[in-house]
Amino acid sequence: MVDLESGKSGDRRAEILALATDAFLTHGYSGTSMADLAGAVGIRKASLYHHFPSKHDLFVACVSEGFLGALKRLEDIRDDPNLSDPDRIRAAMEEIYRVNTTTVVGRMAPLIAEVAPRIPEVARAFYDGFIARHYGLLTGMIEDGIARGCFLPVDAVALRQLIIGPVVFMQMEREITATFADGEALVPIRRIRESHISMVLQLLTGATPAFGDVAKD
Amino acid sequence: MVDLESGKSGDRRAEILALATDAFLTHGYSGTSMADLAGAVGIRKASLYHHFPSKHDLFVACVSEGFLGALKRLEDIRDDPNLSDPDRIRAAMEEIYRVNTTTVVGRMAPLIAEVAPRIPEVARAFYDGFIARHYGLLTGMIEDGIARGCFLPVDAVALRQLIIGPVVFMQMEREITATFADGEALVPIRRIRESHISMVLQLLTGATPAFGDVAKD
DNA sequence: GTCTATAACGAGATAGAC
DNA sequence: GTCTATCTCGTTATAGAC
């Protein structure tokens, strides 16, 4: 992340972006003040305005630059010739789980939904650059498998919703229950992930997996 | 909605709650000011404080009273002796779609996720009173069907996520794309709903539905 | 129960020294 | 590039008349 030439400049900007993204995700757009952000970075509020002309611009940068590169691995999975069609879907779903549960990008959808009426430009960028491209990649993998005769002729549009929807919702549940003492136990994501993948593959191939054979986590 | 006895008292409170709920859902908690709300109701800002002691209390009332009664129809479906197990799941899913797409309650999850760090009491109330009870009802229906031999021994916890997740996510997409000129076409909820229900029933019964036989919407 | 008026505070943003 | 100091405005909330 550090600029190789100077090792200094551009560093602060990236640091601010990372901290701001996390703050926006946690407290929402209106719930995050420039003073809060400055405090997190360790500088004064006025200094933030040296790096970004306004809160609005800072937010737009967080979102637009936040999902850059998040689809790279998914594209690699789509183009990997060594994967069978079911293995490709499995790998794609594991990647989607990884991005949504371990990076900030996957947590952005609820935030964007909140600011969409006031900052439509960011909603458009997020939908076109992240959601729609996810859809394109997933339906592509599904339809290729169908064309090759490896998958049943399922409704690819509906199935992509069945793939992404539960992941996003579970991450949202995690945030809702994060303050609970028993929060972790309420949403056993890793166990559900295995069943989720099995079910999607079953819909695609018609094969019935061994239902008792679920990861214990 | 009008109080039958007086036609006056208690009415304002309900009116404020309804308008405030909608505003909170659209603009978030911090994004909604008491002045905005007063304007929507048609009274002055100070008059709001006659009905609710603070913005915090107003918000808590919106959420806590918002999901009251939202589970009634789902409980009726669970207890309806005239429904077969597959028809029960179908009816429950249609009800979940209805609540999420046509009432304010279903849109609450992202809002709660935003305020959860600051207002944990409301997160707890929403999770216990709405999400967890949905889960209880759904897993109950699924496990009853399994016990009766009508359903395959699926992972009920994972399947309930496959039922609810896509619905919540699609509603969130709707809000993200609401400002787009082509927003409606991007998320064809009604068409996807039919495929979604078919897929869940396929997972439960093992029966392969006619895939071409999808509602045109 | 609603109003006008105002207090008390925090927000985003700017000016200018260093 | 960061600082102190400040401007201006919007925010929650209260006081007290009607």
Side-chain angles (χ1 to χ4, degrees), chain B residues 32-187:
Chain B
T32 303
S33 76
M34 295 298 269
D36 292 340
L37 290 178
V41 179
I43 58 178
R44 295 292 164 180
K45 190 173 55 170
S47 304
L48 282 181
Y49 286 89
H50 175 77
H51 300 275
F52 297 93
S54 72
K55 184 185 180 182
H56 180 101
D57 287 270
L58 170 55
F59 179 74
V60 172
C62 283
V63 176
S64 338
E65 300 179 27
F67 57 73
L68 287 181
L71 290 137
K72 179 77 177 63
R73 286 173 69 163
L74 218 45
E75 283 167 356
D76 290 343
I77 289 167
R78 178 196 55 188
D79 298 332
D80 189 338
N82 296 321
L83 288 172
S84 69
D85 282 318
D87 283 347
R88 193 184 314 283
I89 295 294
R90 169 180 291 279
M93 287 184 69
E94 284 172 352
E95 169 63 7
I96 289 171
Y97 267 93
R98 188 193 66 80
V99 166
N100 271 273
T101 55
T102 67
T103 77
V104 291
V105 198
R107 297 155 53 198
M108 278 189 180
L111 174 63
I112 305 294
E114 179 210 336
V115 301
R118 280 170 296 166
I119 318 181
E121 59 193 292
V122 112
R124 185 89 240 186
F126 184 73
Y127 188 86
D128 291 345
F130 194 67
I131 297 184
R133 287 173 65 193
H134 262 91
Y135 283 164
L137 284 165
L138 277 177
T139 48
M141 292 182 205
I142 294 169
E143 282 165 0
D144 284 355
I146 295 172
R148 278 191 279 267
C150 286
F151 292 154
L152 298 168
V154 298
D155 181 342
V157 172
L159 191 59
R160 77 185 185 195
Q161 301 282 357
L162 247 76
I163 290 174
I164 295 179
V167 188
V168 174
F169 182 59
M170 269 189 277
Q171 183 56 37
M172 226 161 61
E173 279 188 273
R174 263 206 126 112
E175 284 171 52
I176 290 176
T177 61
T179 59
F180 301 0
D182 54 347
E184 285 290 322
L186 292 176
V187 193

Side-chain angles (χ1 to χ4, degrees), chain A residues 161-199:
Chain A
Q161 301 283 357
L162 246 75
I163 289 174
I164 295 178
V167 187
V168 175
F169 182 59
M170 269 189 278
Q171 183 57 35
M172 225 162 63
E173 278 187 274
R174 261 206 129 112
E175 286 170 50
I176 290 175
T177 61
T179 59
F180 301 0
D182 54 347
E184 284 291 321
L186 291 176
V187 193
I189 291 191
R190 291 180 58 182
R191 203 207 70 188
I192 290 172
R193 181 186 66 179
E194 296 311 311
S195 290
H196 184 190
I197 294 173
S198 294
M199 287 174 172

Side-chain angles (χ1 to χ4, degrees), chain A residues 6 16 31 36 41 43 55 80 104 106-109 126 132 137-138 153 175 179 182-183 185 196-197 204 212:
Chain A
S6 69
I16 294 171
D36 292 341
V41 179
I43 58 178
K55 183 185 181 184
D80 189 338
V104 291
R107 297 157 51 200
M108 278 188 180
F126 183 72
L137 284 165
L138 276 178
E175 286 170 50
T179 59
D182 54 347
H196 184 190
I197 294 173
L204 280 168

Side-chain angles (χ1 to χ4, degrees), chain A residues 20-215:
Chain A
T21 302
D22 195 60
F24 284 135
L25 286 170
T26 308
H27 304 109
Y29 179 73
S30 306
T32 303
S33 77
M34 295 298 268
D36 292 341
L37 289 178
V41 179
I43 58 178
R44 295 292 164 181
K45 187 173 57 167
S47 304
L48 282 180
Y49 287 88
H50 175 77
H51 300 276
F52 297 93
S54 71
K55 183 185 181 184
H56 179 101
D57 287 88
L58 171 54
F59 180 73
V60 171
C62 283
V63 176
S64 334
E65 301 178 28
F67 57 72
L68 286 182
L71 289 138
K72 179 77 178 64
R73 288 173 71 161
L74 219 45
E75 283 167 356
D76 291 344
I77 289 167
R78 178 196 56 187
D79 298 333
D80 189 338
N82 296 321
L83 288 172
S84 68
D85 283 319
D87 282 346
R88 194 185 315 281
I89 294 294
R90 169 179 291 278
M93 287 185 69
E94 283 171 353
E95 169 64 6
I96 289 171
Y97 267 94
R98 188 192 67 78
V99 167
N100 271 273
T101 56
T102 68
T103 78
V104 291
V105 199
R107 297 157 51 200
M108 278 188 180
L111 174 61
I112 305 295
E114 180 211 337
V115 300
R118 279 170 297 165
I119 318 181
E121 58 192 292
V122 112
R124 185 89 239 187
F126 183 72
Y127 189 85
D128 291 346
F130 194 68
I131 297 184
R133 287 173 65 192
H134 262 90
Y135 285 164
L137 284 165
L138 276 178
T139 48
M141 293 182 205
I142 294 169
E143 281 165 0
D144 284 355
I146 295 173
R148 278 192 279 267
C150 286
F151 292 153
L152 298 168
V154 298
D155 180 343
V157 172
L159 192 59
R160 79 186 184 195
Q161 301 283 357
L162 246 75
I163 289 174
I164 295 178
V167 187
V168 175
F169 182 59
M170 269 189 278
Q171 183 57 35
M172 225 162 63
E173 278 187 274
R174 261 206 129 112
E175 286 170 50
I176 290 175
T177 61
T179 59
F180 301 0
D182 54 347
E184 284 291 321
L186 291 176
V187 193
I189 291 191
R190 291 180 58 182
R191 203 207 70 188
I192 290 172
R193 181 186 66 179
E194 296 311 311
S195 290
H196 184 190
I197 294 173
S198 294
M199 287 174 172
V200 167
L201 289 175
Q202 189 191 347
L203 289 168
L204 280 168
T205 64
T208 308
F211 276 111
D213 192 26
V214 174

